[in-house]
Amino acid sequence: MNKKIELQDLGLKDYKETWDYQEELFQNTLDIKIKNRREGSLLPTPNHFLFVEHPHVYTLGKSGDMANLLVDEKVLDEKGAKFYKINRGGDITYHGPGQIVGYPILDLDNFFTDIHKYLRFLEEMVILTLAEYGLKAERSKGETGVWLNVGTPFARKICAMGVRASRWVTMHGFALNVNADLGYFDLMIPCGIKGKAVTSLNVELGQKEISMDEVKEKLLKHFSDLFEAEIIKQKTEV
């Protein structure tokens, strides 16, 4: 079992380009697994973790409802935003500058074969990170992601999640609002859940800007602890 995870920070990168790169890494791992099964070989499968910020974009999961995007293509163009239908679970999500997006592309055979546990670990990573900033973040029953003030009229989402898995290989991941422009969330019904607000770490802390690098380091620490993994930083060549 390979518990090393190669980390790349892609910086600000187009959503579709990043999606294509994810698919490339994902397929490479699948190909190794298929080869091992067919030939009885024991080639190790790689694990990857991509950090990225995207220019303004809305993505709709395969079970999502187009009605949850509240504006047409003309308005998106005016806002400098793109739209894609994609192959993860979940409904509509927004990505943009000031948001930390993480895409773990893991072979869960290297860790544990349980998608439910995998999602709970991603949530726990964010919950533990936000606790370091004095915030009590929680899960909301039946709603994947991380929330504040769950069970109150002031419930608000700070981190969205949606994943895809095949043969226990994962892709897509989480989006944590750190210094996000929350106005872009008004153009959709976030994750298809009506009547729930969205927030960002800088808003919650009453600060203009939070260090993205600092938040990433905290996320990685908790991720590596939870998955009992070794994070290896790679130079970005994408």
Side-chain angles (χ1 to χ4, degrees):
M1 292 190 351
N2 174 26
K3 290 207 167 191
K4 294 181 179 179
I5 300 177
E6 297 181 8
L7 170 72
Q8 292 182 66
D9 192 328
L10 305 180
L12 183 67
K13 193 170 184 65
D14 176 77
Y15 183 86
K16 182 64 167 62
E17 287 181 38
T18 310
W19 185 11
D20 289 345
Y21 184 50
Q22 272 196 86
E23 288 276 13
E24 180 185 320
L25 297 175
F26 178 82
Q27 190 59 51
N28 177 60
T29 301
L30 282 181
D31 289 346
I32 293 171
K33 295 194 78 169
I34 292 167
K35 180 181 174 69
N36 282 342
R37 194 175 72 171
R38 285 179 179 168
E39 301 180 7
S41 50
L42 295 171
L43 298 171
T45 50
N47 304 292
H48 304 273
F49 192 120
L50 308 179
F51 271 136
V52 66
E53 278 183 82
H54 293 306
H56 303 295
V57 63
Y58 295 87
T59 69
L60 186 71
K62 55 191 176 184
S63 59
D65 184 347
M66 268 300 296
N68 291 323
L69 180 63
L70 302 178
V71 296
D72 59 21
E73 197 172 320
K74 183 170 182 266
V75 174
L76 291 183
D77 285 343
E78 291 169 355
K79 289 282 188 179
K82 294 182 179 179
F83 173 80
Y84 295 104
K85 287 185 178 180
I86 62 172
N87 59 356
R88 61 161 169 78
D91 207 284
I92 196 163
T93 300
Y94 159 79
H95 299 307
Q99 185 186 70
I100 293 175
V101 179
Y103 296 129
I105 304 160
L106 310 182
D107 178 5
L108 290 183
D109 270 321
N110 289 323
F111 302 94
F112 49 78
T113 49
D114 185 332
I115 292 295
H116 179 81
K117 181 178 178 179
Y118 173 67
L119 284 166
R120 301 296 81 78
F121 270 22
L122 291 185
E123 290 167 344
E124 189 67 15
M125 167 193 67
V126 175
I127 288 168
L128 292 170
T129 295
L130 295 177
E132 294 196 54
Y133 290 93
L135 296 179
K136 186 179 185 296
E138 303 171 83
R139 297 173 181 85
S140 181
K141 189 174 180 180
E143 298 170 335
T144 300
V146 178
W147 302 71
L148 302 174
N149 289 103
V150 172
T152 77
F154 309 105
R156 53 208 183 276
K157 193 170 196 174
I158 194 166
C159 182
M161 293 184 183
V163 303
R164 176 192 173 200
S166 177
R167 298 178 188 264
W168 299 114
V169 181
T170 67
M171 65 179 291
H172 299 298
F174 67 91
L176 174 62
N177 299 329
V178 178
N179 302 305
D181 181 344
L182 298 179
Y184 279 83
F185 287 93
D186 295 337
L187 307 185
M188 67 176 192
I189 300 172
C191 301
I193 303 168
K194 295 181 180 178
K196 294 283 182 75
V198 176
T199 190
S200 188
L201 182 58
N202 64 327
V203 173
E204 294 298 322
L205 298 182
Q207 297 181 28
K208 184 177 179 182
E209 190 169 319
I210 307 297
S211 167
M212 300 277 278
D213 287 340
E214 180 183 270
V215 178
K216 288 174 187 176
E217 287 299 321
K218 294 180 188 300
L219 287 168
L220 286 175
K221 176 186 178 298
H222 295 302
F223 184 89
S224 61
D225 287 349
L226 288 162
F227 285 84
E228 298 178 346
E230 179 186 353
I231 306 291
I232 300 168
K233 295 185 179 180
Q234 300 290 317
K235 289 184 178 179
T236 301
E237 298 178 355
V238 181

